């Protein structure tokens, strides 16, 4: 991987005469598309890190979260990425099997609802999956009640999207062997399956669905950014599946020290303070200024569901088959 950029330190004839150059290291971070949008965390994090590193931080969007793993598996050791940011615990076992990641070497006091001891993957945020709907709609109180209702929903494809895969794990964790029956009952509620979260949420906002698979934190965006209290996350009796999003350092990076610097920066206030109001998730380390007041209004699940990375990997193919079978009928 050779991505060193050379910038002239003097202009015009002086450069031609001396050939003097200053080397600027480029750090490439592969992530999901919404992270790099103008309204996502990417721009603010890029500015904050570049102020510390004297480098060029480049975020590269690669589809939705689950698509990151597929791209990494395809590229293998040829990947240009130095950091992969946006996998979650449903994918880390498969990511580890690629052998492409090195220990992150970061020690931090994480504010997670679960213990964390993964040497290769470092959390940067977390949240709970939920169905988001309009506040004036009759609330649905469980996955089974949703399946029994006439509510029209839009969800994401589990093969390309971490929320879509999270819903598969949610159903599996809550219903076990009864998951196929629940999917059969849910099938007529699903109006479409989108490749990623942005498309699905956009359809919901455009009124094309009654509810959308998203996060308990999504209403905070509307409260803070739009001063709009018209969106809510439904609290489900079976509990809500947790997502912990992580980043990993690619072992073959050309810039290991710079990659280490970024991983350490990821759990600092310069990164974490950006997360609540750009990625609309809970930060892995609570910022010095705390969380926005709107986060205090959010649904707090009574039951948290989370499969281990190994269990999620073992169940994934079977859960995908159950999902495909139900939706194809």
């Amino acid at each position: 991987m050779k991505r060193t950029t050379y910038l002239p330190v003097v202009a015009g004839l002086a450069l031609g005469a001396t050939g003097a150059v200053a080397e600027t290291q480029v750090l490439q971070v592969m992530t999901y598309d919404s992270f790099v949008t103008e309204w996502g965390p990417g721009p603010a994090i890029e500015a904050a890190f570049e102020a510390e590193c004297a480098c060029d931080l480049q975020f590269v969007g690669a589809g939705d979260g689950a698509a990151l793993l597929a791209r990494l598996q395809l590229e293998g050791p040829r990947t240009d990425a130095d950091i992969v940011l946006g996998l979650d615990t449903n994918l880390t076992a498969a990511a580890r099997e690629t052998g492409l990641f090195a220990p992150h070497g970061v020690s931090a006091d994480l504010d997670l609802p679960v213990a964390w001891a993964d040497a290769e993957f470092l959390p940067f945020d977390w949240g709970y999956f939920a169905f988001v709907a309009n506040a004036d709609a009759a609330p649905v109180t469980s996955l089974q009640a949703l399946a029994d209702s006439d509510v029209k929903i839009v969800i994401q494809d589990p093969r390309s999207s971490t929320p879509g895969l999270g819903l598969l794990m949610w159903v599996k964790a809550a219903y076990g062997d009864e998951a196929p029956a629940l999917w059969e009952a849910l099938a007529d509620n699903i109006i479409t399956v989108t490749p990623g979260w942005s498309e699905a949420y956009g359809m919901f906002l455009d009124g094309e669905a009654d509810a959308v698979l998203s996060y308990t934190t999504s209403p905070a965006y509307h409260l803070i950014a739009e001063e709009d209290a018209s969106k809510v996350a439904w609290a489900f009796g079976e509990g809500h599946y947790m997502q912990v999003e992580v980043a990993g350092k690619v072992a073959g990076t050309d810039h290991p020290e710079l990659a280490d610097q970024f991983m350490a920066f990821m759990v600092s206030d310069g990164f974490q303070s950006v997360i609540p109001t750009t990625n609309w998730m809970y930060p892995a380390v609570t910022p010095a200024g705390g969380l926005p007041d709107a986060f205090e209004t959010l649904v707090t699940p009574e039951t948290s569901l989370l499969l281990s990375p190994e269990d999620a990997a073992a169940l994934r193919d079977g859960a995908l088959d159950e999902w495909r079978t139900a939706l194809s009928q």
Side-chain angles (χ1 to χ4, degrees):
M1 299 185 293
K2 297 298 179 186
R3 299 186 305 281
T4 303
T5 300
Y6 293 97
L7 301 175
V9 294
V10 290
L13 293 176
L15 176 59
T18 66
V21 294
E23 181 177 318
T24 300
Q25 292 188 83
V26 177
L27 188 74
Q28 189 174 113
V29 178
M30 185 193 299
T31 187
Y32 45 81
D33 287 345
S34 63
F35 199 93
V36 302
T37 60
E38 62 181 356
W39 44 266
I45 289 171
E46 180 179 357
F49 185 64
E50 288 183 346
E52 294 186 7
C53 72
C55 68
D56 181 7
L57 175 62
Q58 296 181 358
F59 285 109
V60 177
D64 213 58
L68 295 175
L69 177 59
R71 176 165 169 177
L72 193 66
Q73 290 170 326
L74 179 64
E75 293 179 346
R78 298 176 292 104
T79 184
D80 286 336
D82 301 295
I83 302 285
V84 177
L85 185 153
L87 302 173
D88 67 13
T89 55
N90 293 325
L91 297 170
T92 52
R96 202 184 321 275
E97 288 180 357
T98 67
L100 296 175
F101 291 94
H104 56 71
V106 176
S107 178
D109 291 327
L110 301 173
D111 295 318
L112 300 176
V114 294
W116 195 266
D118 194 314
E120 292 175 312
F121 297 103
L122 183 65
F124 63 91
D125 69 14
W126 64 279
Y128 294 101
F129 295 115
F131 282 90
V132 173
N134 291 310
D136 58 1
V140 176
T141 57
S142 70
L143 286 167
Q144 185 64 62
L146 179 61
D148 293 339
S149 75
D150 295 326
V151 173
K152 298 305 178 186
I153 62 175
V154 58
I155 65 173
Q156 299 84 27
D157 193 324
R159 295 163 294 187
S160 58
S161 166
T162 51
L165 181 57
L167 179 58
L168 255 64
M169 296 298 105
W170 187 359
V171 171
K172 204 66 182 172
Y175 287 86
D177 292 341
E178 299 301 316
L182 184 75
W183 277 117
E184 289 179 14
L186 269 175
D188 61 358
N189 298 88
I190 301 169
I191 60 171
T192 194
V193 177
T194 64
W197 175 88
S198 297
E199 301 96 324
Y201 207 81
M203 290 183 66
F204 163 66
L205 294 180
D206 288 340
E208 298 181 51
D210 301 318
V212 59
L213 176 64
S214 192
Y215 296 88
T216 62
T217 47
S218 296
Y221 162 75
H222 300 284
L223 285 170
I224 295 171
E226 302 175 337
E227 297 183 351
D228 176 7
S230 67
K231 305 295 185 289
V232 297
W234 288 332
F236 280 6
E238 306 100 330
H240 290 250
Y241 197 84
M242 185 187 304
Q243 180 181 45
V244 181
E245 292 195 298
V246 303
K249 171 188 171 184
V250 176
T253 175
D254 286 341
H255 309 295
E257 292 182 357
L258 187 58
D260 288 342
Q261 185 179 351
F262 180 84
M263 295 297 288
F265 174 77
M266 201 176 72
V267 292
S268 73
D269 213 59
F271 187 113
Q272 292 292 302
S273 63
V274 172
I275 292 297
T277 56
T278 56
N279 222 32
W280 305 100
M281 296 280 278
Y282 292 102
V285 179
T286 304
L291 296 174
D293 292 343
F295 275 64
E296 297 180 3
T297 69
L298 302 176
V299 167
T300 301
E302 293 186 6
T303 302
S304 299
L305 304 173
L306 183 65
L307 297 170
S308 71
E310 295 74 23
D311 287 344
L315 290 170
R316 182 183 180 187
D317 288 347
L320 275 168
D321 288 342
E322 294 168 357
W323 174 82
R324 278 192 296 253
T325 299
L327 268 62
S328 65
Q329 295 176 357

